[in-house]
């Protein structure tokens, strides 16, 4: 190793500066207990903001996935040209590249920020890996616990495409096996540039393999017959979203029945009938005048501006028309207090452009920027909490950060389990998110640090707490095996992974939560040096 000192980024009682203020100047005069309480409340408020921007993010992501393209073909029966509207995004690829990546972006952003601010040090930061491994456990256990009780009493929801799920499950488990290999076997306690690069490239292999399985490519796909697919992901009686067109804008905007609920059904984009047909009109519409096009563009611009302005109006409202109809004064007061508390977040996120502009990509990118900003605040607060309390940042990452940043995963899987007629996306989002956590969430930050260390110091990246991370991986393997086996048994005995008899659904849910507690307790004790 070079003469450059290895300084870990994890704050400890000896390395952190407890005299540095974060929230206001006078906070350093307060006791450590009071400061820890203030930082914890601020951290919880950041998680509330993360939940608010996640709603905007989901709306933009849905708009991206709903995009289709027109293809003119000859109908084999009528021999007439017809227009075929095909969705741009493949179902399996969209689940991994948009849904799983989007719901995992808070963890990815936090880990990347932790890596960037760690540049110049030979040891890796602790918040990123700890949060991502803890998030994997939160995804697998508590989110499964929520999803299994979401279907209506007695109803069952099963995975219709076992082939795609098995591919995603394989890459999910392989991600953590690979992480253990590079931490303990290949180059113990050291991450090289090659290892970091291979970690990131495996995300591309996951995308290719999932696409191959969905298309049933020979030799690389599992020869499972795809189950019967419903026409729509969301049955008509469960639809809580209706659609309106805005002043001749071709994009369709989903508007919730309750405008202030902040929930959008991101899965309506996964219609199994992803192709619609219509006859090609005899009159070519391309011959419309330039003036007509200018008028249309002006109408669209005015509509976008009015919708954007309405976002600020909605954000400033403390009470919705639906809330005013409530007879309970206590309930109305609670809602007003809640809206007042989150009003700063709502007004800030109203600056995100309407999600129907440019097929949702502008809102998508702006949402990512806001999420990154919140993630930066979370890292600073976590440093201060660890500093004034002496609690290991790994323990905070396994618990509070993992749960808080996994909120988008929980919301997405809950909506899928509740509204979709199959269990595919609810469970696929969990397994894909775990893969994304390793290949992107840990791979990209480690790649940043290893590239910097390689060219500046000619040194690899050292993992200061590799033993603790490896132990957490072993505990995760053991508990995740118990989780997957229960899902398999439910498929064999009950015929579905989610739902079923209410008693057994709740028993399964409690069992998953116990597995999560076991993971958190043993991992925290090991990282803290108690065991």
């Amino acid at each position: 190793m070079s003469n450059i000192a290895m300084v870990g980024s994890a704050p400890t009682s000896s390395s952190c500066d407890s005299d540095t203020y974060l929230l206001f100047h006078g906070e350093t005069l307060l006791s450590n207990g009071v400061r820890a309480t203030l930082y914890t409340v601020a951290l919880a408020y950041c998680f509330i903001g993360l939940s608010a921007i996640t709603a905007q993010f989901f709306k933009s992501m849905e708009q991206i996935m709903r995009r289709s393209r027109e293809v003119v073909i000859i109908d084999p029966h009528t021999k007439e040209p017809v227009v075929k509207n095909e969705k741009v995004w493949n179902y399996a690829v969209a689940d991994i590249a948009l849904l799983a990546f989007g719901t995992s972006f808070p963890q990815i952003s936090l880990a990347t920020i932790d890596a960037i601010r760690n540049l110049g040090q030979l040891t890796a930061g602790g918040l990123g890996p700890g949060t991502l491994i803890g998030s994997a456990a939160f995804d697998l256990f508590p989110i499964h616990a929520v999803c299994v009780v979401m279907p209506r009493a007695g109803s069952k929801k099963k995975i219709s495409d076992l082939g795609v799920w098995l591919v995603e499950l394989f890459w999910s488990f392989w991600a953590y096996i690979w992480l253990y290999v590079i931490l303990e076997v290949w180059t113990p306690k050291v991450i090289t540039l090659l290892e970091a690069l291979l970690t990131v490239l495996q995300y591309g292999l996951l995308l290719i393999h999932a696409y191959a399985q969905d298309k049933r490519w020979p030799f690389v796909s599992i020869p499972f017959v795809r189950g019967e697919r419903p026409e729509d992901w969301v049955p008509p009686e469960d639809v809580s979203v209706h659609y309106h067109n805005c002043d001749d804008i071709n994009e369709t905007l989903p508007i919730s029945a309750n405008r202030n609920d902040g929930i959008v059904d991101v899965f309506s984009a996964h219609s199994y009938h992803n192709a619609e047909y219509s006859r090609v009109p005899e009159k070519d519409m391309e011959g419309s005048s330039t003036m007509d096009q200018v008028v249309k563009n002006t109408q669209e611009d005015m509509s976008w501006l009015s919708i954007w302005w309405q976002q600020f109006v909605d954000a400033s409202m403390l009470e919705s028309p639906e809330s005013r109809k409530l007879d309970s004064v206590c309930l109305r007061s609670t809602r007003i207090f809640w809206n007042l508390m989150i009003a700063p977040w709502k007004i800030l996120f109203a600056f995100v452009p309407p999600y129907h502009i440019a097929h949702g990509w502008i809102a998508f990118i702006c949402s990512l920027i806001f999420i990154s900003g919140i993630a930066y605040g979370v890292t600073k607060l976590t440093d201060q909490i660890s500093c004034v309390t002496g609690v290991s940042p790994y323990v905070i990452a396994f618990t509070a950060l993992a749960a808080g940043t996994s909120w988008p995963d929980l919301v997405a899987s809950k909506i899928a389990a509740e509204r979709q007629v199959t269990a595919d996306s609810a469970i696929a989002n969990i397994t894909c998110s775990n893969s994304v956590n390793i290949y992107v969430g840990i791979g990209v930050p480690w790649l940043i640090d290893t590239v910097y260390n390689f060219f500046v110091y000619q040194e690899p990246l050292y993992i200061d707490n590799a033993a603790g991370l490896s132990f957490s991986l072993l505990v995760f393997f053991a508990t995740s095996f118990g989780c997957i086996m229960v899902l398999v048994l439910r498929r064999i005995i009950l015929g579905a992974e989610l739902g079923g008899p209410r008693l057994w659904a709740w028993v399964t849910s409690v069992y998953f939560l116990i597995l999560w507690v076991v993971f958190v307790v043993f991992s925290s004790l090991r990282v803290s040096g108690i065991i």
Side-chain angles (χ1 to χ4, degrees):
M1 185 188 307
S2 68
N3 294 327
I4 298 170
M6 291 194 309
V7 181
S9 67
T12 63
S13 58
S14 61
S15 63
C16 69
D17 185 4
S18 59
D19 294 331
T20 302
Y21 72 91
L22 179 63
L23 301 180
F24 53 90
H25 288 277
E27 71 183 57
T28 55
L29 302 177
L30 303 174
S31 65
N32 285 346
V34 174
R35 292 178 66 184
T37 302
L38 289 176
Y39 296 146
T40 303
V41 171
L43 186 64
Y45 193 67
C46 285
F47 290 150
I48 293 174
L50 183 63
S51 175
I53 190 59
T54 296
Q56 297 279 84
F57 182 82
F58 281 165
K59 292 173 183 177
S60 63
M61 188 165 56
E62 179 195 35
Q63 198 69 14
I64 293 172
M65 292 190 294
R66 291 183 60 252
R67 186 183 178 186
S68 61
R69 58 171 175 257
E70 292 186 353
V71 179
V72 179
I73 63 173
I74 303 299
D75 189 294
H77 302 291
T78 63
K79 306 300 182 181
E80 295 182 359
V82 294
V83 177
K84 179 181 179 182
N85 293 324
E86 291 183 336
K87 289 190 175 171
V88 174
W89 286 89
N90 171 265
Y91 156 66
V93 173
D95 268 350
I96 301 171
L98 289 179
L99 183 59
F101 178 82
T103 55
S104 297
F105 191 77
Q107 302 96 298
I108 296 171
S109 181
L110 188 148
T112 304
I113 292 172
D114 190 41
I116 293 174
R117 67 178 187 161
N118 196 57
L119 290 175
Q121 303 182 29
L122 294 180
T123 55
L127 289 183
T131 301
L132 289 159
I133 294 176
S135 175
F138 189 89
D139 288 349
L140 194 63
F141 305 128
I143 296 183
H144 266 129
V146 171
C147 289
V148 77
V149 296
M150 278 298 101
R152 294 170 178 165
S155 64
K156 301 177 183 178
K157 297 185 179 182
K158 65 180 182 180
I159 300 172
S160 65
D161 197 337
L162 282 174
V164 171
W165 179 67
L166 288 176
V167 168
E168 295 166 345
L169 186 64
F170 164 77
W171 283 100
S172 176
F173 272 92
W174 168 248
Y176 293 91
I177 294 174
W178 167 257
L179 186 60
Y180 184 85
V181 168
I182 62 177
L183 282 175
E184 295 292 338
V185 180
W186 192 350
T187 53
K189 300 181 181 180
V190 169
I191 300 298
T192 65
L193 177 58
L194 176 61
E195 291 170 338
L197 183 60
L198 290 176
T199 302
V200 176
L201 291 178
Q202 288 180 75
Y203 178 66
L205 294 179
L206 165 62
L207 289 171
I208 295 173
H209 196 183
Y211 181 81
Q213 179 63 42
D214 186 69
K215 295 298 184 181
R216 295 301 191 271
W217 288 359
F219 307 114
V220 293
S221 61
I222 304 173
F224 277 10
V225 177
R226 181 182 287 119
E228 183 180 354
R229 293 180 167 182
E231 182 174 348
D232 296 305
W233 276 96
V234 185
E237 62 269 16
D238 286 344
V239 171
S240 60
V241 178
H242 54 277
Y243 296 89
H244 295 294
N245 286 327
C246 295
D247 300 336
D248 297 328
I249 295 179
N250 293 329
E251 305 278 0
T252 305
L253 307 180
I255 302 177
S256 174
N258 183 356
R259 294 181 61 180
N260 296 319
D261 59 7
I263 298 176
V264 61
D265 183 10
V266 301
F267 303 96
S268 61
H270 287 330
S271 172
Y272 281 114
H273 273 271
N274 60 354
E276 300 175 356
Y277 298 89
S278 60
R279 287 175 178 260
V280 176
E282 294 182 2
K283 183 178 180 180
D284 189 357
M285 297 303 297
E286 293 181 358
S288 58
S289 66
T290 304
M291 182 59 68
D292 291 340
Q293 187 63 36
V294 170
V295 171
K296 180 180 178 181
N297 291 338
T298 303
Q299 290 176 339
E300 291 180 1
D301 292 339
M302 293 301 296
S303 177
W304 294 342
L305 291 174
S306 63
I307 296 171
W308 203 343
W309 172 251
Q310 187 63 38
Q311 291 182 177
F312 288 93
V313 175
D314 293 340
S316 60
M317 290 180 59
L318 298 181
E319 191 174 19
S320 65
E322 292 80 7
S323 180
R324 295 192 185 97
K325 298 177 183 178
L326 297 175
D327 296 329
S328 174
V329 177
C330 181
L331 185 57
R332 286 185 60 185
S333 301
T334 302
R335 289 193 174 186
I336 292 175
F337 175 77
W338 174 256
N339 287 330
L340 180 64
M341 186 172 64
I342 65 175
W345 287 125
K346 294 170 64 177
I347 294 174
L348 177 63
F349 299 148
F351 285 96
V352 176
Y355 55 88
H356 63 285
I357 300 176
H359 305 292
W361 281 107
I362 297 179
F364 184 85
I365 295 172
C366 290
S367 299
L368 294 184
I369 294 173
F370 277 114
I371 290 174
S372 299
I374 296 175
Y376 177 76
V378 167
T379 59
K380 301 294 289 185
L381 287 167
T382 304
D383 285 347
Q384 289 297 95
I385 292 174
S386 178
C387 185
V388 300
T389 62
V391 177
S392 170
Y394 285 95
V395 175
I396 300 175
F398 280 137
T399 54
L401 292 188
T405 56
S406 294
W407 182 256
D409 289 314
L410 176 61
V411 172
S413 292
K414 175 185 175 295
I415 292 175
E418 195 173 30
R419 300 182 184 178
Q420 289 186 355
V421 295
T422 68
D424 290 73
S425 276
I427 296 179
N429 180 54
I430 297 172
T431 53
C432 292
S433 294
N434 284 352
S435 301
V436 172
N437 282 346
I438 299 299
Y439 300 134
V440 181
I442 291 182
V444 170
W446 280 358
L447 184 61
I448 293 172
D449 283 341
T450 54
V451 168
Y452 186 89
N453 287 0
F454 179 81
F455 287 103
V456 177
Y457 305 130
Q458 290 75 50
E459 291 278 357
L461 180 67
Y462 295 90
I463 309 300
D464 192 36
N465 199 11
L469 291 176
S470 299
F471 180 84
S472 298
L473 288 172
L474 293 177
V475 176
F476 179 78
F477 288 147
T479 50
S480 61
F481 180 79
C483 175
I484 298 302
M485 286 306 300
V486 167
L487 291 177
V488 173
L489 289 175
R490 284 181 58 87
R491 179 63 176 255
I492 296 174
I493 298 174
L494 301 178
E497 291 81 9
L498 305 181
R502 212 60 182 162
L503 174 61
W504 289 111
W506 279 106
V507 168
T508 305
S509 179
V510 172
Y511 170 73
F512 288 157
L513 290 176
I514 292 174
L515 290 178
W516 182 62
V517 172
V518 169
F519 169 83
V520 170
V521 170
F522 277 90
S523 297
S524 300
L525 292 176
R526 179 65 178 86
V527 169
S528 301
I530 299 177
I531 60 175

